[in-house]
Amino acid sequence: MKTAWLVGQKVGHFVSVLFLSSLVLAGLLWFSPGSPGKAREPVDFDEIAVGAEVCVAATTCGTLKSMPAKAPDDPTVDDGFNFIKKFVQVQLPEGEQTVESGDVLAPGPSFPTWFFGVFWKGVLIWDIGPAFNGDPVLDVVMLGAKQTLPIVFGALIAAIVVTLVLVSFLTWLPFPSMRGLLRTLLLILSISPVFVLGFLMTKAGVLPHPVLWWVAPAACVGILFVGDSSLGEFLLQLENEYRHLRSRDYIHAAGLRGASLFKHMLPGLLLPLSSMSAAKIAFLLGSVVIAENIYAVQGLGTLSLRAATKPDPLLLLTLTVFITFVVALVTLVRDLLEIAIDPRIRKGGGH
Amino acid sequence: MDPNNLIHRDPGEESEDATLAGKIAQGALKDIITTILRWRHADIRLIFGTIVLLLLVGFRIAAIFIDVDTLETHLDVGRSSGFSTGGGFQTTNCRPVEGLLLGNDRNGYSLTATLVEATQAFFLPALLSCGIALFFGTLLGAIAGYFRGGLLESSTKLLLTVIASYPRLILVIVAVGFFVAYLHDPGRAVGMRLFLMAMMLGVAYVPVLALAIYQKVGAFQREQFIEAARAHGLSDVRILGYHILWANCMPVLARHFFYLFGYFILVETSLSYLGPEYGVPGSIPSWGNLLAGCSKGELFSAAVMAPSVAIVGSILGLTFLGDAIGERFERGRT
């Protein structure tokens, strides 16, 4: 009963974090200059020229293809905004379609309508609307996730495996000075930013291959698990945990009995590993933006950059909430793992 | 007798002088070796970090007086004035040039001068970012840590968890990209963009600092001197502000100040490397866009290695300095 209550608490926390993070982000986007609910300012026709950026709806902007056929003082139009609506053709940034007269002119929806009615309702019925390229937003996000998540989790697993091997090696190494030197060298390598490592790798000839599709993702995994201090932080934390665990009495006793140390140490290492993974996943999902951009991988990171600069607020919100969902999910798994492994939590002792 | 040599010196005295000089030289050498051996025990991280910090401050001050335009080498004929990362790559650029220490950059300017000038892209925004993170992180962490077990603690922790659930870089990209895309004149939005970057990174770092302060405050609350302060009738604000935060949390704050400073350099250079839409505009030199600008250069050329070393060295130095100062403070207090 106690366990079920704890699990329910953690799931409730997960849902509330997900909802609140989407609310905060939606609020940020809503109050930004590019708010989806904000009507555009009327265009000053004394300054407008072909090639200028004009917007005919809250989120429909493009380059002015041709000058209006009628003068702006036409009595049938009352201001520049209506004038744009009636006479101007705007070439949209992508695709062939143009905005014709009378197509659009409406201020965006209110914040509750946009956040609940468009976004969350769209998530529930799996139809949020089109992204900047005309494809459904959720399809675009899922397609990006298929590229990004294997890279991020691959980097996480690679970091854990390599760190475990390194910790075992460093613990075995009989010379303390050599151990320190090796650790320092690894830390220096690891502190290099992802983009510097990516740049150096591309200069060294590791480039996206037209046939070997896995080269770019593998390179991304490589620079992600080493760069931005990922490997260094894992190494320091895990080495501390490993040494702490090795000094525990029950491990000594297991060693004296001739039992497998690995078997006894594994549950003790699982908790710190899951905590480290939960802390690192958000960081990796941020750094993947840089790695994907260098290797032209069409994942969540590249999409975030494009959605931010287009700008496409709905896609940006969906992408960021999806990324937050992944981070919160990993944290939930960590919490559930803690409940499963640590009997003190189940019996009410707490952490 | 030689009139110029009024003092008569016999060969025996000369040999004594030579012995004395030898002894002095030997003593000096011994002193040097002793000093070096003593330095072996010095904290290398502190020395390296201090040098990096002094260099960064020096570069930032020097950047006020440096005008890169006056140092251009005129190799890139037909280039418009101003720093730019887009277009116009000439084979004569990103190369060693006689008279210039590290050669020139993509636009034909002195790479050394541009590297120095590029510190203005991150220095003040990084300080602003640190200020925001330290203020709000300390405030929230202290409140949650001191007033435990109530609604204040749980709501503050929930807020921190929500902020921590966003990847920091994504949050910066969202803010910078989405806000700046709507400014009418992106060229004039340089300050705004750097301010946004600093603000968002500061806010994104708040949970890290707040958690550290939360743990520290929670640990100190059970100490006897805090109980004694309470028994003396000191107010919560004084106990929290002076006895806990000021007197005991400085190592944490110092450590995170340098970490965040280094992290800001990482984020700014990363975004500037991606392009002027995300980082600093092309009109301002940054270590990131310097590296991107010479992407066609040779791997082991100064144009590629100098910005890389500057970025990695700065981040490493600041991280080391944070660690060393934090540890020193802690050791001094215990």
Side-chain angles (χ1 to χ4, degrees):
Chain A
M1 192 61 194
K2 173 82 180 166
T3 310
W5 170 246
L6 279 173
V7 171
Q9 257 188 335
K10 297 295 178 192
V11 173
H13 187 256
F14 164 75
V15 173
S16 59
V17 165
L18 192 61
F19 177 75
L20 283 174
S21 61
S22 67
L23 183 70
V24 170
L25 191 76
L28 181 74
L29 292 177
W30 189 261
F31 289 108
S32 72
S35 168
K38 194 175 168 184
R40 297 275 147 217
E41 289 175 14
V43 176
D44 183 351
F45 286 96
D46 291 333
E47 291 184 3
I48 197 166
V50 172
E53 176 86 357
V54 289
C55 298
V56 289
T59 56
T60 311
C61 297
T63 310
L64 185 65
K65 205 170 75 173
S66 59
M67 279 304 284
K70 289 191 178 185
D73 55 358
D74 187 326
T76 60
V77 292
D78 50 359
D79 59 23
F81 208 52
N82 279 334
F83 182 77
I84 284 283
K85 183 189 76 170
K86 289 189 78 166
F87 301 111
V88 175
Q89 281 200 330
V90 177
Q91 182 71 49
L92 292 175
E94 291 199 5
E96 294 299 319
Q97 75 270 39
T98 55
V99 178
E100 298 293 346
S101 61
D103 268 1
V104 277
L105 182 70
S110 63
F111 180 70
T113 313
W114 185 64
F115 181 62
F116 292 107
V118 178
F119 178 70
W120 275 113
K121 188 183 165 194
V123 171
L124 293 175
I125 62 171
W126 206 253
D127 180 21
I128 291 181
F132 62 86
N133 57 2
D135 293 338
V137 166
L138 286 169
D139 288 0
V140 172
V141 173
M142 287 303 121
L143 221 57
K146 273 184 193 170
Q147 298 279 334
T148 300
L149 293 185
I151 291 174
V152 169
F153 284 100
L156 194 64
I157 291 166
I160 291 171
V161 172
V162 171
T163 311
L164 280 172
V165 172
L166 282 172
V167 166
S168 310
F169 178 69
L170 287 172
T171 316
W172 167 82
L173 208 62
F175 314 107
S177 53
M178 196 181 281
R179 203 182 297 157
L181 184 70
L182 196 62
R183 196 186 293 122
T184 309
L185 287 176
L186 283 168
L187 291 182
I188 292 172
L189 173 72
S190 172
I191 216 154
S192 306
V194 160
F195 82 95
V196 172
L197 290 177
F199 176 81
L200 295 177
M201 274 181 78
T202 52
K203 296 298 292 176
V206 183
L207 295 164
H209 198 276
V211 181
L212 304 173
W213 62 269
W214 50 266
V215 172
C220 287
V221 168
I223 58 177
L224 269 181
F225 94 83
V226 175
D228 284 356
S229 306
S230 297
L231 189 63
E233 281 178 18
F234 264 97
L235 186 65
L236 288 180
Q237 289 179 18
L238 201 66
E239 204 179 357
N240 280 341
E241 291 291 341
Y242 188 85
R243 286 180 191 284
H244 176 68
L245 209 59
R246 280 297 296 262
S247 63
R248 300 286 292 272
D249 289 342
Y250 77 95
I251 298 291
H252 277 302
L256 290 172
R257 278 206 322 272
S260 162
L261 285 185
F262 178 77
K263 191 180 153 190
H264 282 81
M265 286 179 74
L266 191 62
L269 281 176
L270 268 180
L271 279 182
L273 274 176
S274 64
S275 297
M276 283 153 58
S277 305
K280 205 68 200 166
I281 195 80
F283 199 82
L284 287 173
L285 278 163
S287 301
V288 81
V289 175
I290 313 283
E292 284 183 354
N293 202 277
I294 291 169
Y295 280 99
V297 176
Q298 296 300 313
L300 296 175
T302 315
L303 277 171
S304 301
L305 286 174
R306 292 184 75 189
T309 46
K310 281 295 173 189
D312 187 338
L314 206 53
L315 179 61
L316 200 55
L317 180 64
T318 315
L319 278 168
T320 315
V321 171
F322 180 77
I323 290 170
T324 313
F325 168 77
V326 175
V327 175
L329 192 67
V330 173
T331 312
L332 177 68
V333 171
R334 189 265 322 260
D335 290 343
L336 296 181
L337 208 60
E338 269 184 359
I339 293 171
I341 291 175
D342 197 341
R344 288 171 300 179
I345 298 175
R346 287 199 301 273
K347 287 173 184 170
H351 290 270
Chain B
M1 181 189 272
D2 183 1
N4 293 324
N5 190 3
L6 296 174
I7 303 170
H8 175 70
R9 295 163 69 88
D10 60 23
E13 282 180 9
E14 280 179 11
S15 72
E16 273 179 22
D17 282 355
T19 317
L20 192 65
K23 278 182 180 172
I24 290 169
Q26 206 178 352
L29 192 67
K30 200 176 169 186
D31 278 355
I32 291 169
I33 290 169
T34 316
T35 312
I36 291 170
L37 286 175
R38 207 180 296 144
W39 273 73
R40 269 179 56 210
H41 301 292
D43 194 342
I44 301 291
R45 295 173 307 169
L46 188 67
I47 296 163
F48 179 67
T50 310
I51 291 170
V52 167
L53 185 68
L54 289 176
L55 278 176
L56 286 176
V57 173
F59 283 179
R60 181 63 191 94
I61 293 166
I64 299 168
F65 305 105
I66 285 181
D67 184 6
V68 171
D69 284 340
T70 60
L71 298 167
E72 61 186 294
T73 56
H74 300 285
L75 289 172
D76 184 0
V77 181
R79 163 184 50 78
S80 61
S81 63
F83 189 85
S84 166
T85 55
F89 178 82
Q90 304 285 315
T91 49
T92 47
N93 290 345
C94 301
R95 290 275 187 278
V97 177
E98 200 178 332
L100 295 178
L101 184 61
L102 293 171
N104 58 7
D105 66 12
R106 183 192 175 105
N107 297 310
Y109 295 120
S110 159
L111 182 62
T112 319
T114 318
L115 277 174
V116 171
E117 207 191 0
T119 48
Q120 66 179 318
F122 61 77
F123 202 90
L124 291 179
L127 287 181
L128 176 67
S129 190
C130 291
I132 291 170
L134 289 187
F135 179 75
F136 289 105
T138 309
L139 189 72
L140 292 175
I143 288 172
Y146 195 76
F147 301 103
R148 287 199 176 210
L151 188 68
L152 207 56
E153 186 201 1
S154 52
S155 53
T156 310
K157 279 180 85 175
L158 185 63
L159 175 69
L160 293 174
T161 313
V162 168
I163 299 172
S165 65
Y166 301 116
R168 285 177 220 151
L169 204 58
I170 296 274
L171 206 57
V172 174
I173 287 168
V174 166
V176 173
F178 205 73
F179 275 75
V180 173
Y182 275 88
L183 294 175
H184 295 296
D185 183 1
R188 287 182 189 170
V190 177
M192 168 86 173
R193 195 182 301 203
L194 286 171
F195 171 74
L196 274 172
M197 202 190 284
M199 199 179 73
M200 294 313 287
L201 205 60
V203 170
Y205 200 80
V206 163
V208 180
L209 190 62
L211 186 67
I213 294 289
Y214 170 80
Q215 286 167 348
K216 212 67 172 150
V217 170
F220 275 111
Q221 256 194 323
R222 292 185 289 272
E223 294 285 331
Q224 285 183 342
F225 71 95
I226 297 296
E227 293 294 330
R230 281 206 188 100
H232 274 86
L234 295 184
S235 67
D236 284 340
V237 175
R238 184 160 174 81
I239 293 171
L240 184 59
Y242 183 75
H243 291 278
I244 297 180
L245 290 179
W246 178 254
N248 289 296
C249 290
M250 278 299 156
V252 179
L253 296 180
R255 181 176 293 192
H256 283 280
F257 174 85
F258 289 112
Y259 282 173
L260 183 55
F261 203 105
Y263 188 65
F264 188 88
I265 295 177
L266 188 149
V267 170
E268 184 274 313
T269 49
S270 300
L271 292 177
S272 300
Y273 177 81
L274 290 186
E277 309 96 310
Y278 314 111
V280 297
S283 56
I284 293 182
S286 154
W287 290 343
N289 60 25
L290 273 174
L291 192 61
C294 284
S295 56
K296 290 178 188 170
E298 289 170 21
L299 177 58
F300 292 106
S301 63
V304 170
M305 293 315 287
S308 309
V309 170
I311 294 164
V312 177
S314 303
I315 298 169
L316 188 68
L318 290 166
T319 311
F320 277 178
L321 191 60
D323 281 340
I325 287 181
E327 278 175 24
R328 224 152 236 255
F329 265 124
E330 298 265 14
R331 220 181 297 147
R333 273 157 210 283
T334 52

